[in-house]
Amino acid sequence: MTTPLQVTARLRTPVAEHDHVRGPVDAPVTIVEYADFQCRFCGAAHRNLTELLRQRADTVRLVYRHFPIANLHPYAESAAEATEAADRHGRFWAMHDWLYEHQDQLDPVHLSLGIEQLGLPIDEVRAEVDRQAHGDRVRRDFVSGIRSGVNATPTLFINEVRHDDAYDLADLLAAVDAAANP
């Protein structure tokens, strides 16, 4: 009788100062999310993660990393670039949330409207997106995902271990509670 080799996928790039983080820095549970702004499954996960952060505000910190799948989602890279341009103005999470709330409107015209709605300097942000000024950052996140075994979006790591279960709220709450109380 043979037993299949079980390999647990682990986060290979640790959380660092340059990462985008929501939640307390000393939270006992860290979720690293690799996601694509145009992916509808990431949109569903976003809603659940937002509620998870609300319900476990003292327990969880969320780290967002870009994983745009450009061959399926033509606006994913420009959306990622827009969040990085917004980050220069301290508005990463505002742009992040706007993109997930308007996933069906990520074309350049609607993206410009979103940038304007957030009070960001439209010409400056559009210029950064158009020249891919933050492409290195987006690629760095993407490559770190590949190194950690990410092959689809969303992919979540809870305390550096890939979460292969569902990302509905009940499963996330159970996983976080288990990680917080090992």
Side-chain angles (χ1 to χ4, degrees):
M1 179 171 158
T2 61
T3 304
L5 179 64
Q6 278 190 308
V7 177
T8 301
R10 298 193 65 82
L11 185 69
R12 301 289 178 216
T13 304
V15 175
E17 282 184 21
H18 66 270
D19 278 308
H20 301 292
V21 179
R22 238 182 198 167
V25 71
D26 61 344
V29 178
T30 297
I31 299 175
V32 176
E33 174 190 22
Y34 285 91
D36 173 322
F37 288 108
Q38 204 173 353
C39 167
R40 65 186 173 98
F41 302 107
C42 294
H46 167 72
R47 289 185 293 279
N48 295 333
L49 288 166
T50 299
E51 182 59 21
L52 176 73
L53 287 171
R54 190 187 71 71
Q55 290 188 30
R56 300 293 189 271
D58 296 330
T59 307
V60 176
R61 75 175 172 158
L62 174 66
V63 176
Y64 185 89
R65 291 186 177 163
H66 302 287
F67 202 84
I69 303 175
N71 60 332
L72 295 177
H73 304 127
Y75 302 124
E77 285 182 347
S78 60
E81 290 270 349
T83 61
E84 292 303 322
D87 186 50
R88 290 190 50 245
H89 300 277
R91 304 294 312 271
F92 173 86
W93 289 106
M95 188 83 241
H96 167 278
D97 293 347
W98 187 94
L99 290 166
Y100 277 123
E101 291 161 10
H102 299 88
Q103 275 192 304
D104 59 339
Q105 301 171 340
L106 301 185
D107 60 272
V109 171
H110 285 97
L111 184 58
S112 293
L113 291 172
I115 293 165
E116 188 174 28
Q117 285 175 6
L118 293 174
L120 295 166
I122 184 109
D123 293 337
E124 184 180 319
V125 172
R126 282 297 328 164
E128 289 179 41
V129 170
D130 290 346
R131 73 173 185 273
Q132 297 180 330
H134 305 284
D136 286 347
R137 167 59 191 265
V138 173
R139 279 186 293 282
R140 184 175 62 231
D141 281 0
F142 189 89
V143 169
S144 79
I146 296 293
R147 288 183 180 141
S148 296
V150 174
N151 59 6
T153 56
T155 296
L156 306 176
F157 291 85
I158 299 177
N159 285 351
E160 299 187 358
V161 176
R162 188 169 66 201
H163 174 75
D164 289 325
D165 292 329
Y167 50 83
D168 61 65
L169 183 58
D171 283 327
L172 289 174
L173 286 166
V176 163
D177 292 345
N181 303 301

